[in-house]
Amino acid sequence: MHGSQLIGDRYRKMTGPASGAMADVWTVEDTKLGRTVALKFLARRRLTQQGALTEFVASTVRMFEREGLAMARINHPHVAHIYDTGEHEGELYIVMEYVEGRPLAELLKTGTIRTLEPTVRWTRQICEGLEAAHKAKVLHRDIKPDNIMITQDGDVKIVDFGLAFLADVTQTHTSAGTPLYKAPERWNGEPGSQRSDLYSVGCVLYEMLTGRPPFGSPADDVMTIGRMHQDDRPAPPSAHRPGVPPQLDAVVQALLAKDPARRPKSAQAVADAVRDIQHVLDSMDLGESAGEEDLPELLGGSAGFSEAIRALDRRISDLDRRFGPSDQAVIDARDKHAELTGQSGDVRGAAALYNRLGLDCQAFFGPYDVRALNAFEGVARWIARAGNR
């Protein structure tokens, strides 16, 4: 794609591409509407030049076309929108919403567990987005951390419907998918169902809670992973992470049932169950122990821990963008965020947040800076509380 040439008479290249095996994604300007969008090119010519079989290229084209059809059917705040499709210099493209944020996979790649509040919130939002897709008769079939974007506001956007199955369109069944998150029935070549997507949600939720997928690792043999999905039962998340509420253990176990009929009946049912867990945090009284004198200003009134933590998430993100990560206001907000996380009952999450803060303060200010030492004191304090439970 030539830098000075408009795509479809309206799209001008800004940055990119981010290249995958079968497609390239550019950040482009929509010159007609004056907004930034993402433009995804199918790398059909590159696949052919690399010697890919004609049947494989043709199948890839069909998948790419299905992605556009699938995304066009769905209108939901937690699913990336599609704006346009077209062809340029013999290559097909899709124009999509530009999501400013990071893939969940990037947040998980260190193996660090996520705190409970965003884990519960993101799971609910994933399921709400999937419910909209399922109502539009679209199965995603590749729910995984790489395909879940976390925006700068801390919300979910489901992306990449490249393996989508349109339930009312005749097409060739495929067993493609990502092994670590693929439902047992799909290992037998079945196209899957709504409940197959929910199994993948269970795998993602398990990884957010424990820092590891329920079965295998990226280094394992694919068939070994498949056998584990079909035959093994994972330990509940609380076995790896004490403090996980039993209600959340139960949701994970239901999502990871081997028999699809034993899984929740819909994504909305899971969203409702997770919302009830989130309400446990929301209904808690902050009181004076929270140490948040400015919470009324932050939240516009009284609120529970979940909303307070979410508000601090937004404040930290805003301050970081404005002043940089080493600014004292950012450090103070992160300290409050860790403390509130512990007081909400997520003592392991509080220790993890304080540990990251301590390591960052050492990098910013030196190994013996008081801010780093205070953060590591927070680690010890919350670990001690975890041991007393």
Side-chain angles (χ1 to χ4, degrees), residues 170-189:
T170 301
Q171 59 180 294
T172 302
H173 294 172
T174 175
S175 60
T178 303
L180 290 173
Y181 310 95
K182 192 162 74 170
E185 61 274 14
R186 297 199 56 230
W187 287 93
N188 295 323

PDB file of all heavy atoms in Angstrom, residues 170-189:
ATOM      1  N   THR A 170     -24.966 -21.439   5.227  1.00  0.00           N
ATOM      2  CA  THR A 170     -24.309 -22.706   4.954  1.00  0.00           C
ATOM      3  C   THR A 170     -22.840 -22.466   4.635  1.00  0.00           C
ATOM      4  O   THR A 170     -22.509 -21.626   3.819  1.00  0.00           O
ATOM      5  CB  THR A 170     -24.970 -23.411   3.758  1.00  0.00           C
ATOM      6  OG1 THR A 170     -26.345 -23.615   4.056  1.00  0.00           O
ATOM      7  CG2 THR A 170     -24.312 -24.752   3.487  1.00  0.00           C
ATOM      8  N   GLN A 171     -21.959 -23.219   5.297  1.00  0.00           N
ATOM      9  CA  GLN A 171     -20.538 -23.064   5.044  1.00  0.00           C
ATOM     10  C   GLN A 171     -19.818 -24.315   5.490  1.00  0.00           C
ATOM     11  O   GLN A 171     -20.371 -25.154   6.205  1.00  0.00           O
ATOM     12  CB  GLN A 171     -19.976 -21.853   5.791  1.00  0.00           C
ATOM     13  CG  GLN A 171     -20.171 -21.928   7.297  1.00  0.00           C
ATOM     14  CD  GLN A 171     -19.614 -20.714   8.002  1.00  0.00           C
ATOM     15  OE1 GLN A 171     -18.421 -20.498   8.004  1.00  0.00           O
ATOM     16  NE2 GLN A 171     -20.467 -19.930   8.598  1.00  0.00           N
ATOM     17  N   THR A 172     -18.587 -24.440   5.072  1.00  0.00           N
ATOM     18  CA  THR A 172     -17.783 -25.593   5.462  1.00  0.00           C
ATOM     19  C   THR A 172     -17.423 -25.495   6.945  1.00  0.00           C
ATOM     20  O   THR A 172     -16.987 -24.457   7.420  1.00  0.00           O
ATOM     21  CB  THR A 172     -16.493 -25.632   4.625  1.00  0.00           C
ATOM     22  OG1 THR A 172     -16.855 -25.684   3.253  1.00  0.00           O
ATOM     23  CG2 THR A 172     -15.669 -26.850   4.978  1.00  0.00           C
ATOM     24  N   HIS A 173     -17.625 -26.584   7.672  1.00  0.00           N
ATOM     25  CA  HIS A 173     -17.255 -26.610   9.079  1.00  0.00           C
ATOM     26  C   HIS A 173     -15.735 -26.663   9.198  1.00  0.00           C
ATOM     27  O   HIS A 173     -15.047 -27.265   8.394  1.00  0.00           O
ATOM     28  CB  HIS A 173     -17.871 -27.832   9.769  1.00  0.00           C
ATOM     29  CG  HIS A 173     -19.365 -27.755   9.830  1.00  0.00           C
ATOM     30  ND1 HIS A 173     -20.143 -28.811  10.252  1.00  0.00           N
ATOM     31  CD2 HIS A 173     -20.229 -26.757   9.501  1.00  0.00           C
ATOM     32  CE1 HIS A 173     -21.423 -28.474  10.193  1.00  0.00           C
ATOM     33  NE2 HIS A 173     -21.494 -27.235   9.744  1.00  0.00           N
ATOM     34  N   THR A 174     -15.227 -26.025  10.213  1.00  0.00           N
ATOM     35  CA  THR A 174     -13.787 -26.047  10.443  1.00  0.00           C
ATOM     36  C   THR A 174     -13.520 -26.255  11.920  1.00  0.00           C
ATOM     37  O   THR A 174     -14.301 -25.816  12.761  1.00  0.00           O
ATOM     38  CB  THR A 174     -13.118 -24.735   9.992  1.00  0.00           C
ATOM     39  OG1 THR A 174     -11.737 -24.790  10.357  1.00  0.00           O
ATOM     40  CG2 THR A 174     -13.736 -23.516  10.640  1.00  0.00           C
ATOM     41  N   SER A 175     -12.456 -26.949  12.234  1.00  0.00           N
ATOM     42  CA  SER A 175     -12.093 -27.175  13.632  1.00  0.00           C
ATOM     43  C   SER A 175     -11.013 -26.214  14.073  1.00  0.00           C
ATOM     44  O   SER A 175     -10.372 -26.411  15.101  1.00  0.00           O
ATOM     45  CB  SER A 175     -11.615 -28.622  13.826  1.00  0.00           C
ATOM     46  OG  SER A 175     -10.485 -28.876  13.006  1.00  0.00           O
ATOM     47  N   ALA A 176     -10.773 -25.164  13.285  1.00  0.00           N
ATOM     48  CA  ALA A 176      -9.735 -24.200  13.640  1.00  0.00           C
ATOM     49  C   ALA A 176     -10.074 -23.507  14.951  1.00  0.00           C
ATOM     50  O   ALA A 176     -11.217 -23.434  15.363  1.00  0.00           O
ATOM     51  CB  ALA A 176      -9.576 -23.177  12.520  1.00  0.00           C
ATOM     52  N   GLY A 177      -9.058 -22.965  15.570  1.00  0.00           N
ATOM     53  CA  GLY A 177      -9.233 -22.274  16.841  1.00  0.00           C
ATOM     54  C   GLY A 177      -7.910 -22.303  17.582  1.00  0.00           C
ATOM     55  O   GLY A 177      -6.928 -22.882  17.113  1.00  0.00           O
ATOM     56  N   THR A 178      -7.885 -21.680  18.750  1.00  0.00           N
ATOM     57  CA  THR A 178      -6.657 -21.613  19.533  1.00  0.00           C
ATOM     58  C   THR A 178      -6.676 -22.715  20.586  1.00  0.00           C
ATOM     59  O   THR A 178      -7.579 -22.738  21.430  1.00  0.00           O
ATOM     60  CB  THR A 178      -6.516 -20.233  20.186  1.00  0.00           C
ATOM     61  OG1 THR A 178      -6.561 -19.233  19.145  1.00  0.00           O
ATOM     62  CG2 THR A 178      -5.208 -20.122  20.934  1.00  0.00           C
ATOM     63  N   PRO A 179      -5.731 -23.658  20.570  1.00  0.00           N
ATOM     64  CA  PRO A 179      -5.813 -24.853  21.405  1.00  0.00           C
ATOM     65  C   PRO A 179      -6.060 -24.590  22.888  1.00  0.00           C
ATOM     66  O   PRO A 179      -6.845 -25.304  23.519  1.00  0.00           O
ATOM     67  CB  PRO A 179      -4.456 -25.535  21.172  1.00  0.00           C
ATOM     68  CG  PRO A 179      -4.068 -25.121  19.791  1.00  0.00           C
ATOM     69  CD  PRO A 179      -4.563 -23.701  19.655  1.00  0.00           C
ATOM     70  N   LEU A 180      -5.399 -23.601  23.471  1.00  0.00           N
ATOM     71  CA  LEU A 180      -5.525 -23.393  24.915  1.00  0.00           C
ATOM     72  C   LEU A 180      -6.932 -23.001  25.340  1.00  0.00           C
ATOM     73  O   LEU A 180      -7.263 -23.096  26.532  1.00  0.00           O
ATOM     74  CB  LEU A 180      -4.535 -22.311  25.370  1.00  0.00           C
ATOM     75  CG  LEU A 180      -3.059 -22.690  25.333  1.00  0.00           C
ATOM     76  CD1 LEU A 180      -2.194 -21.474  25.640  1.00  0.00           C
ATOM     77  CD2 LEU A 180      -2.762 -23.817  26.311  1.00  0.00           C
ATOM     78  N   TYR A 181      -7.777 -22.576  24.397  1.00  0.00           N
ATOM     79  CA  TYR A 181      -9.095 -22.046  24.751  1.00  0.00           C
ATOM     80  C   TYR A 181     -10.233 -22.739  23.990  1.00  0.00           C
ATOM     81  O   TYR A 181     -11.364 -22.268  24.030  1.00  0.00           O
ATOM     82  CB  TYR A 181      -9.124 -20.527  24.472  1.00  0.00           C
ATOM     83  CG  TYR A 181      -7.948 -19.804  25.076  1.00  0.00           C
ATOM     84  CD1 TYR A 181      -6.799 -19.534  24.329  1.00  0.00           C
ATOM     85  CD2 TYR A 181      -7.954 -19.429  26.420  1.00  0.00           C
ATOM     86  CE1 TYR A 181      -5.699 -18.906  24.898  1.00  0.00           C
ATOM     87  CE2 TYR A 181      -6.856 -18.799  26.993  1.00  0.00           C
ATOM     88  CZ  TYR A 181      -5.734 -18.540  26.222  1.00  0.00           C
ATOM     89  OH  TYR A 181      -4.642 -17.926  26.797  1.00  0.00           O
ATOM     90  N   LYS A 182      -9.950 -23.871  23.344  1.00  0.00           N
ATOM     91  CA  LYS A 182     -10.926 -24.515  22.458  1.00  0.00           C
ATOM     92  C   LYS A 182     -11.731 -25.575  23.207  1.00  0.00           C
ATOM     93  O   LYS A 182     -11.173 -26.429  23.881  1.00  0.00           O
ATOM     94  CB  LYS A 182     -10.220 -25.112  21.242  1.00  0.00           C
ATOM     95  CG  LYS A 182     -11.171 -25.532  20.136  1.00  0.00           C
ATOM     96  CD  LYS A 182     -10.458 -25.697  18.810  1.00  0.00           C
ATOM     97  CE  LYS A 182      -9.611 -26.938  18.742  1.00  0.00           C
ATOM     98  NZ  LYS A 182      -9.111 -27.207  17.390  1.00  0.00           N
ATOM     99  N   ALA A 183     -13.047 -25.542  23.047  1.00  0.00           N
ATOM    100  CA  ALA A 183     -13.956 -26.433  23.770  1.00  0.00           C
ATOM    101  C   ALA A 183     -13.750 -27.891  23.366  1.00  0.00           C
ATOM    102  O   ALA A 183     -13.354 -28.192  22.232  1.00  0.00           O
ATOM    103  CB  ALA A 183     -15.402 -26.014  23.499  1.00  0.00           C
ATOM    104  N   PRO A 184     -14.016 -28.839  24.276  1.00  0.00           N
ATOM    105  CA  PRO A 184     -13.779 -30.262  23.992  1.00  0.00           C
ATOM    106  C   PRO A 184     -14.468 -30.753  22.732  1.00  0.00           C
ATOM    107  O   PRO A 184     -13.870 -31.504  21.948  1.00  0.00           O
ATOM    108  CB  PRO A 184     -14.341 -30.961  25.239  1.00  0.00           C
ATOM    109  CG  PRO A 184     -14.268 -29.937  26.322  1.00  0.00           C
ATOM    110  CD  PRO A 184     -14.494 -28.617  25.655  1.00  0.00           C
ATOM    111  N   GLU A 185     -15.727 -30.350  22.519  1.00  0.00           N
ATOM    112  CA  GLU A 185     -16.458 -30.857  21.361  1.00  0.00           C
ATOM    113  C   GLU A 185     -15.841 -30.409  20.041  1.00  0.00           C
ATOM    114  O   GLU A 185     -15.950 -31.090  19.017  1.00  0.00           O
ATOM    115  CB  GLU A 185     -17.931 -30.434  21.425  1.00  0.00           C
ATOM    116  CG  GLU A 185     -18.189 -28.940  21.419  1.00  0.00           C
ATOM    117  CD  GLU A 185     -18.135 -28.285  22.787  1.00  0.00           C
ATOM    118  OE1 GLU A 185     -17.633 -28.936  23.747  1.00  0.00           O
ATOM    119  OE2 GLU A 185     -18.602 -27.136  22.906  1.00  0.00           O
ATOM    120  N   ARG A 186     -15.156 -29.277  20.053  1.00  0.00           N
ATOM    121  CA  ARG A 186     -14.564 -28.784  18.813  1.00  0.00           C
ATOM    122  C   ARG A 186     -13.292 -29.546  18.458  1.00  0.00           C
ATOM    123  O   ARG A 186     -12.850 -29.521  17.310  1.00  0.00           O
ATOM    124  CB  ARG A 186     -14.309 -27.282  18.907  1.00  0.00           C
ATOM    125  CG  ARG A 186     -15.611 -26.480  19.071  1.00  0.00           C
ATOM    126  CD  ARG A 186     -15.460 -25.027  18.707  1.00  0.00           C
ATOM    127  NE  ARG A 186     -14.957 -24.871  17.368  1.00  0.00           N
ATOM    128  CZ  ARG A 186     -13.922 -24.098  17.041  1.00  0.00           C
ATOM    129  NH1 ARG A 186     -13.293 -23.397  17.980  1.00  0.00           N
ATOM    130  NH2 ARG A 186     -13.518 -24.005  15.790  1.00  0.00           N
ATOM    131  N   TRP A 187     -12.699 -30.247  19.422  1.00  0.00           N
ATOM    132  CA  TRP A 187     -11.546 -31.098  19.113  1.00  0.00           C
ATOM    133  C   TRP A 187     -11.980 -32.322  18.310  1.00  0.00           C
ATOM    134  O   TRP A 187     -11.147 -32.987  17.692  1.00  0.00           O
ATOM    135  CB  TRP A 187     -10.855 -31.527  20.411  1.00  0.00           C
ATOM    136  CG  TRP A 187     -10.091 -30.409  21.042  1.00  0.00           C
ATOM    137  CD1 TRP A 187     -10.532 -29.539  21.995  1.00  0.00           C
ATOM    138  CD2 TRP A 187      -8.748 -30.012  20.744  1.00  0.00           C
ATOM    139  NE1 TRP A 187      -9.554 -28.630  22.316  1.00  0.00           N
ATOM    140  CE2 TRP A 187      -8.456 -28.893  21.565  1.00  0.00           C
ATOM    141  CE3 TRP A 187      -7.777 -30.481  19.868  1.00  0.00           C
ATOM    142  CZ2 TRP A 187      -7.217 -28.248  21.529  1.00  0.00           C
ATOM    143  CZ3 TRP A 187      -6.547 -29.844  19.835  1.00  0.00           C
ATOM    144  CH2 TRP A 187      -6.270 -28.750  20.658  1.00  0.00           C
ATOM    145  N   ASN A 188     -13.284 -32.617  18.320  1.00  0.00           N
ATOM    146  CA  ASN A 188     -13.800 -33.740  17.536  1.00  0.00           C
ATOM    147  C   ASN A 188     -14.288 -33.294  16.164  1.00  0.00           C
ATOM    148  O   ASN A 188     -14.938 -34.064  15.461  1.00  0.00           O
ATOM    149  CB  ASN A 188     -14.954 -34.411  18.293  1.00  0.00           C
ATOM    150  CG  ASN A 188     -14.491 -35.046  19.592  1.00  0.00           C
ATOM    151  OD1 ASN A 188     -13.400 -35.598  19.659  1.00  0.00           O
ATOM    152  ND2 ASN A 188     -15.308 -34.955  20.622  1.00  0.00           N
ATOM    153  N   GLY A 189     -13.981 -32.055  15.783  1.00  0.00           N
ATOM    154  CA  GLY A 189     -14.362 -31.565  14.466  1.00  0.00           C
ATOM    155  C   GLY A 189     -15.734 -30.948  14.403  1.00  0.00           C
ATOM    156  O   GLY A 189     -16.193 -30.554  13.325  1.00  0.00           O
TER     157      GLY A 189
END
